[in-house]
Amino acid sequence: MDVQAIIIATVVVGVVGIVIGIVLGIAGEKFKVEVDPNEEAVLAALPGNNCGGCGYAGCSGLAAAIAKGEAEVGACPVGGAPVAEKIGAIMGQEVGEAVRMTAFVKCAGTCEKAGQDYNYIGEQSCSMVKFISNGGPKSCNYGCMGFGECVDACPFDAIHIVDGIAVVDKDECKACGKCIKACPQNLIELIPYEANHAVQCSSKDMGKNVMKACKVGCIGCKMCMKVCEADAITVENNIAHIDQEKCTGCGKCAEKCPKKIIC
């Protein structure tokens, strides 16, 4: 073996490595992106779930937006008030009173209460079933199908199918909104955690048709609206809805509702 050749090869490899290192070092300095220290601090304060509930592409996207002043310091639904306070301190901003929110499923059509037009055997997908005969086996075309796309979408195990409908665990829900996007029936909305009353129905059918499809569906009778002294209830398209900002929690609507669909 030629020792001289080995030495020359080693020297060449070493020189090439040094040159590459110098070039990379110069390129790194020339093209490096300066990171706002506030952005790094905010990112460290965020919970790191990357759920997208804030409307940005993960925690890094939200941290950048907060650092630039494009998002509120309390924009993280998962972190809530404690994280908002930390980020507020980093950004030197006052943190307003945060209202804890939770997902609410506007359907009470359990297996016992909602009618069935036929037995269904097939793809266990809400999105797919929506396109089959009569919009699915349930008599109500507006209600929860119970196949759990919202369950699969929830990163916090806060929603489950119970007796044929989706049920939210308020204490586990982080109000990220993924279940809302996943539901093809548009049955889920965010309401305050402390909300006293909400209408657990989404049917827009006339009262007589609602009663044929479900034992507890809203029939649009407006009795709840008439007794509400806070003007917090409206009835549009045959369905009642409560404005949570106006609701005083008096309970008169729930007492008056003939279908007991206001929970």
Side-chain angles (χ1 to χ4, degrees), residues 4-194:
Q4 185 176 3
I6 294 175
I7 294 173
I8 293 172
T10 303
V11 171
V12 170
V13 171
V15 171
V16 171
I18 293 172
V19 172
I20 291 175
I22 293 172
V23 171
L24 290 176
I26 294 172
E29 285 297 316
K30 185 176 179 61
F31 298 107
K32 73 177 180 180
V33 178
E34 294 292 339
V35 179
D36 187 337
N38 281 346
E39 181 180 335
E40 292 184 327
V42 170
L43 181 59
L46 290 170
N49 293 87
N50 294 308
C51 64
C54 58
Y56 293 88
C59 293
S60 60
L62 176 59
I66 292 175
K68 294 175 183 176
E70 298 173 354
E72 298 291 333
V73 294
C76 176
V78 177
V83 169
E85 289 180 7
K86 291 180 182 179
I87 296 176
I90 294 168
M91 298 299 297
Q93 297 180 18
E94 290 283 336
V95 180
E97 184 179 354
V99 177
R100 181 179 177 182
M101 305 294 282
T102 185
F104 175 74
V105 181
K106 298 179 290 183
C107 179
T110 62
C111 297
E112 177 189 353
K113 296 171 182 175
Q116 293 279 333
D117 291 335
Y118 55 87
N119 291 324
Y120 171 74
I121 299 175
E123 181 71 27
Q124 302 295 293
S125 164
C126 303
S127 297
M128 294 296 292
V129 172
K130 190 174 177 64
F131 294 101
I132 67 173
S133 177
N134 199 35
K138 279 191 174 181
S139 300
C140 176
N141 293 332
Y142 301 93
C144 178
M145 297 178 182
F147 295 112
E149 286 189 25
C150 54
V151 176
D152 295 335
C154 179
F156 306 103
D157 193 33
I159 188 165
H160 302 93
I161 302 301
V162 180
D163 197 13
I165 60 170
V167 176
V168 176
D169 183 336
K170 291 174 57 177
D171 293 323
E172 295 299 326
C173 179
K174 306 301 181 184
C176 71
K178 286 201 169 184
C179 58
I180 295 175
K181 295 177 182 178
C183 179
Q185 295 287 74
N186 298 313
L187 287 175
I188 308 175
E189 66 178 351
L190 293 180
I191 65 173
Y193 179 88
E194 301 291 344

